[in-house]
């Protein structure tokens, strides 16, 4: 158990609003009375914000409208006072140009909602891709007690007796449709059966990865991330979370008390053992930097060579998150990882990760594989460098064709996504199975917003010949539900003059996974000449949030946070509390 000293009611942050002997407190209390609350309802009690990312345009969070009531019940039962504060819902399927454009906005919203209101602790409700890192980033910076309720994965997709996985089966159905193997009706049947309950994508996409990462970091009641959304045990978890945050406030258990270099190693280890989304690289780095913990992309490659891929989940494996839950879930996988996990790390429960997984068991060895029988060889995420990616690029090799790991091919270049869409299926496109497809201007600034365009489609004429994978390279991201030899997150990006901007049709590009390199095979003189001739494009946004994003976002290898939101190690990045007035 935590040995943290308990707060007194007068030490509560909310007491600055409600209890201070000043006129303004009278005004605050009068407004509480306006809502029907007497002093004894909230005075001297932990006031808990439920930051809820529910909205009618986030299908993954449909249960949150209702689930927040369970959280409230837990808070009330433990002697706290709940206040639901809605935040932007960032429903991944609808937000354009990319939900990633707004991750930092949600992070700022979370931090500032908590800062500006009489809040002692926070329950963060998220799950759909960018909501998890957005909420956690804000909570790390605010650094008051905070606990995370993951939305949980949705049920397995189903169509005519066949199990469907989010994203993955949509991609394959679309390819079949394009290749003439699927009718409009068959496409519609998949459309109707693939997402059939509340909850996040149930393949090992970004949502499943990041919910598990947040859980391992210590932000959830350990194992919460694996509970499928419609399961009644998800409601029980939500209520327990509500109860726990009240004690966390009395104990003053904050993110800075449990985030360490080791807890971030645990988070990376989890992402790797899950065969998780490449997006985890960007989000985990951003979180660590907010916490003032230095973390480089290289740590992912180092741990990748030590951590076996145990979760046999699509797209790399066979099962879905629902199966993972029934097989024991994250707790069982962490237990199975043994000494690869630092079990001494503290969690929101006030106990260590080790204490929380002590009784965990694997119930299905085909879903959570034994340590000595992992899915493929060690190393599911590879960090590449080379003259095309001086700062770094990422490749998920388990989702890639082994035959393409050492490859030289001539570039087929698309200057932007519009050109890609216009030309990719053209019969005139000069392309063969050995070509390297290059997409420029798809990064944090170039797209803008760092969208998931990195799974560049295979040209129709090659699909028709049975080509299933090609080397593809971009400064974009890729959905965790995607697959293929897609080199992603190239940094610096082409929009700011990174070497990817200099590639021309017909140039030879070499990928060598064994050397961890991706290179443009032209002379240094030619490279320098092209760099000198390069003309910087105009920025997209003349005003508003987009302009702020463009002026302050960092590159992929640095987490794509805003430079002014990072905490600088050795300097206090904390903002003082507002004065009592
Ligand atoms: Fe919400 Fe995939 S679209 S988790």
């Amino acid at each position: 158990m935590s040995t943290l000293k308990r707060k007194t009611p007068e030490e509560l942050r909310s007491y600055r609003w409600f209890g201070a002997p000043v006129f303004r407190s009278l005004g605050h209390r009068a407004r509480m009375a306006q809502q029907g609350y007497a002093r004894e309802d909230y005075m001297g009690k932990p006031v808990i914000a439920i930051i809820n990312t529910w909205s009618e345009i986030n299908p993954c969070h449909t249960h949150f409208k209702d689930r927040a009531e369970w959280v409230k019940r837990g808070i009330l039962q433990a002697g706290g006072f709940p206040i639901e504060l809605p935040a932007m819902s960032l429903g991944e399927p609808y937000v354009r140009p990319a939900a990633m454009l707004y991750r930092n906005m949600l992070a700022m919203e979370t931090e500032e909602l908590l800062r500006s209101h009489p809040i002692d602790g926070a329950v963060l409700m998220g799950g759909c891709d960018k909501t998890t890192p957005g909420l956690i980033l804000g909570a790390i910076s605010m650094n008051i007690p905070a606990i995370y309720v993951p939305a949980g994965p949705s049920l397995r997709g189903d169509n005519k007796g066949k199990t469907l996985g989010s994203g993955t089966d949509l991609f394959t159905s679309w390819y079949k449709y394009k290749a003439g193997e699927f009718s409009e009706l068959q496409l519609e049947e998949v459309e109707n059966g693939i997402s059939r309950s509340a909850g996040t994508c149930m393949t090992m996409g970004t949502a499943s990865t990041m919910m598990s990462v947040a859980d391992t970091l210590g932000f959830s009641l350990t194992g919460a991330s694996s509970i499928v959304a419609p399961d009644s045990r998800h409601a029980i978890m939500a209520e327990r979370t509500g109860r726990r945050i009240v004690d966390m406030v009395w104990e003053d258990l904050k993110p800075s008390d449990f985030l360490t270099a080791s807890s971030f190693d645990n988070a990376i280890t989890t992402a790797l053992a899950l065969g998780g989304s490449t997006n985890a690289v960007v989000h985990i780095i951003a979180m660590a930097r907010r916490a003032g913990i230095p973390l480089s992309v290289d740590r992912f490659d180092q741990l990748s060579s030590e951590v076996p891929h145990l979760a046999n989940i699509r797209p790399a494996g066979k099962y879905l998150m629902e199966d993972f839950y029934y097989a024991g879930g994250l707790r069982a996988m962490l237990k199975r990882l043994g000494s690869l996990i630092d079990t001494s790390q503290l969690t929101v429960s006030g106990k260590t990760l080790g204490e929380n997984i002590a009784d965990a068991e694997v119930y299905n060895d085909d879903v959570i594989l034994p340590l000595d029988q992992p899915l493929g060889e060690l190393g599911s995420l590879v960090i590449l460098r080379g003259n095309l990616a001086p700062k770094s690029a990422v490749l998920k090799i388990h989702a890639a064709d082994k035959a393409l790991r050492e490859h030289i091919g001539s570039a087929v270049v698309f200057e932007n996504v519009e050109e890609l869409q216009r030309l990719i299926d053209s019969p005139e496109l000069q392309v063969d199975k050995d070509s390297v497809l290059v997409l420029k201007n798809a990064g944090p600034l170039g797209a803008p917003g760092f969208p998931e365009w990195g799974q560049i489609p295979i040209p129709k004429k090659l699909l028709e010949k049975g080509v299933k994978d090609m080397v593809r390279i971009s400064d974009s991201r890729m959905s965790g539900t995607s697959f293929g030899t897609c080199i992603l997150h190239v940094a610096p990006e082409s929009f700011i003059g990174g070497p990817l901007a200099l590639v021309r049709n017909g140039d030879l590009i070499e990928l060598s996974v064994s050397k961890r390199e991706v290179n443009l095979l032209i002379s240094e003189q030619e490279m320098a000449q092209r760099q000198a001739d390069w003309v910087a494009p105009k920025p997209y946004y003349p005003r508003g949030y987009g302009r702020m994003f463009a002026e302050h976002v960092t590159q992929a290898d640095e987490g794509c946070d805003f430079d002014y939101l990072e905490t600088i190690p050795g300097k206090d990045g904390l903002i003082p509390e507002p004065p009592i007035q």
Side-chain angles (χ1 to χ4, degrees):
M1 284 292 288
S2 163
T3 55
L4 297 167
K5 174 181 158 291
R6 288 180 79 82
K7 272 189 174 170
T8 65
E10 293 73 25
E11 287 173 327
L12 292 173
R13 190 171 177 269
S14 59
Y15 204 80
R16 298 168 68 87
W17 274 258
F18 299 128
V22 293
F23 172 73
R24 198 94 197 269
S25 296
L26 172 64
H28 294 321
R29 294 195 301 267
R31 292 299 180 174
M32 291 300 278
Q34 184 181 10
Q35 298 177 82
Y37 298 120
R39 283 190 183 190
E40 61 269 28
D41 289 332
Y42 60 89
M43 282 276 283
K45 293 183 173 182
V47 177
I48 308 298
I50 301 169
I51 307 284
N52 194 348
T53 51
W54 173 86
S55 85
E56 287 184 347
I57 198 148
N58 190 334
C60 310
H61 296 177
T62 46
H63 56 318
F64 272 174
K65 188 176 193 176
D66 185 45
R67 202 61 93 234
E69 300 306 316
W70 266 265
V71 177
K72 285 178 194 170
R73 197 163 75 179
I75 293 168
L76 288 166
Q77 287 177 357
F81 183 76
I83 292 178
E84 192 171 346
L85 290 174
M88 70 188 307
S89 65
L90 284 188
E92 186 76 22
Y94 300 107
V95 178
R96 291 188 179 183
M100 184 64 182
L101 180 67
Y102 300 103
R103 182 201 69 182
N104 296 347
M105 190 162 166
L106 175 60
M108 289 176 76
E109 186 184 13
T110 302
E111 182 180 351
E112 301 307 328
L113 276 173
L114 297 175
R115 173 168 296 113
S116 57
H117 290 104
I119 301 299
D120 298 302
V123 177
L124 314 165
M125 298 185 71
C128 190
D129 292 16
K130 310 308 173 295
T131 58
T132 303
L135 291 164
I136 300 284
L137 287 168
I140 291 173
S141 291
M142 187 56 202
N143 201 33
I144 60 172
I147 193 166
Y148 173 64
V149 173
S154 55
L155 296 175
R156 301 178 193 102
D158 172 75
N159 182 39
K160 295 181 171 171
K162 184 172 176 272
T163 298
L164 301 178
S166 309
T168 312
D169 279 302
L170 271 191
F171 290 126
T172 48
S173 301
W174 180 245
Y175 287 151
K176 281 184 182 170
Y177 176 70
K178 276 176 64 177
E181 296 166 21
F182 242 35
S183 69
E184 190 71 39
L185 180 63
Q186 284 172 303
L187 201 63
E188 191 180 341
E189 286 166 346
V190 169
E191 191 176 303
N192 291 338
I194 197 163
S195 307
R196 61 191 181 92
S197 82
T200 64
C201 295
M202 76 319 249
T203 37
M204 188 44 70
T206 304
S208 302
T209 308
M210 290 311 299
M211 290 190 293
S212 306
V213 159
D215 194 333
T216 309
L217 271 175
F219 268 104
S220 296
L221 297 180
T222 308
S225 57
S226 306
I227 308 172
V228 283
D231 197 301
S232 57
R233 286 166 286 190
H234 192 275
I236 292 171
M237 175 274 291
E239 181 173 333
R240 283 185 177 152
T241 302
R243 287 173 167 275
R244 178 60 199 149
I245 186 64
V246 176
D247 275 340
M248 284 175 69
V249 169
W250 292 126
E251 293 165 8
D252 199 23
L253 178 56
K254 305 178 296 298
S256 60
D257 296 316
F258 59 84
L259 294 178
T260 66
S262 269
S263 63
F264 278 99
D265 271 358
N266 283 344
I268 298 170
T269 299
T270 292
L272 294 166
L274 290 170
S277 164
T278 44
N279 292 323
V281 178
V282 179
H283 299 315
I284 293 175
I285 287 175
M287 290 177 186
R289 290 166 78 108
R290 285 282 185 116
I293 295 167
L295 180 64
S296 142
V297 284
D298 296 315
R299 190 66 182 145
F300 288 80
D301 207 318
Q302 287 160 6
L303 289 174
S304 182
S305 60
E306 298 167 17
V307 179
H309 180 172
L310 299 185
N312 189 4
I313 299 174
R314 299 186 200 179
K318 187 165 145 194
Y319 296 98
L320 292 169
M321 286 304 288
E322 189 178 347
D323 306 295
F324 185 66
Y325 177 47
Y326 303 147
L330 181 72
R331 292 172 72 248
M333 192 188 79
L334 292 175
K335 182 91 178 283
R336 181 151 276 182
L337 283 164
S339 61
L340 293 167
I341 290 288
D342 179 353
T343 51
S344 70
Q345 296 303 302
L346 191 62
T347 72
V348 287
S349 67
K351 298 179 185 169
T352 64
L353 204 52
E355 288 174 288
N356 293 344
I357 63 172
D359 64 345
E361 280 180 59
V362 174
Y363 304 116
N364 186 334
D365 282 329
D366 199 36
V367 178
I368 302 175
L369 300 165
L371 274 178
D372 58 355
Q373 294 168 40
L375 199 64
E377 75 272 51
L378 280 176
S380 58
L381 280 181
V382 169
I383 302 299
L384 304 167
R385 287 201 174 76
N387 71 2
L388 257 185
K391 284 186 156 187
S392 67
V394 174
L395 174 64
K396 186 175 175 179
I397 57 171
H398 284 184
D401 186 339
K402 274 188 184 170
L404 294 172
R405 289 183 189 176
E406 308 294 322
H407 182 83
I408 296 179
S410 62
V412 176
V413 177
F414 304 96
E415 291 297 323
N416 51 50
V417 78
E418 289 85 8
E419 188 173 287
L420 170 77
Q421 276 162 353
R422 202 172 63 248
L423 299 179
I424 192 75
D425 289 337
S426 163
E428 274 77 55
L429 187 71
Q430 297 295 305
V431 67
D432 62 41
K433 67 177 180 44
D434 296 322
S435 302
V436 175
L437 304 178
V438 176
L439 173 61
K440 300 181 185 176
N441 296 310
L445 290 155
F450 209 10
E452 294 181 337
W453 296 339
Q455 189 191 20
I456 302 169
I458 308 284
K460 190 172 178 210
K461 66 180 182 186
L462 296 182
L463 275 179
E464 286 167 348
K465 288 182 188 164
V467 175
K468 298 280 187 243
D469 196 7
M470 296 173 73
V471 175
R472 292 161 264 181
I473 178 165
S474 73
D475 40 20
S476 192
R477 295 180 302 115
M478 179 171 90
S479 163
T481 62
S482 304
F483 44 87
T485 310
C486 302
I487 300 165
L488 309 161
H489 308 189
V490 168
E493 64 175 299
S494 54
F495 193 81
I496 60 170
L500 194 67
L502 312 179
V503 183
R504 295 178 184 168
N505 277 323
D507 286 345
L508 289 180
I509 291 177
E510 178 183 32
L511 165 65
S512 171
V513 169
S514 62
K515 288 192 286 180
R516 300 289 197 263
E517 284 191 11
V518 57
N519 288 304
L520 180 60
L521 302 181
I522 60 173
S523 68
E524 283 181 25
Q525 295 90 322
E526 175 64 15
M527 187 79 114
Q529 186 57 52
R530 291 188 192 182
Q531 192 82 64
D533 295 342
W534 180 76
V535 179
K538 285 203 173 69
Y540 278 89
Y541 294 103
R543 58 177 294 282
Y545 173 78
R547 179 169 167 179
M548 185 169 85
F549 179 92
E551 288 175 358
H552 293 286
V553 75
T554 60
Q555 289 286 289
D557 61 307
E558 298 172 318
C560 292
D561 203 354
F562 292 161
D563 48 13
Y564 60 80
L565 291 175
E566 290 176 357
T567 303
I568 302 161
K571 284 193 189 172
D572 191 357
L574 296 178
I575 299 168
E577 287 290 351
I580 292 173
Q581 53 186 17

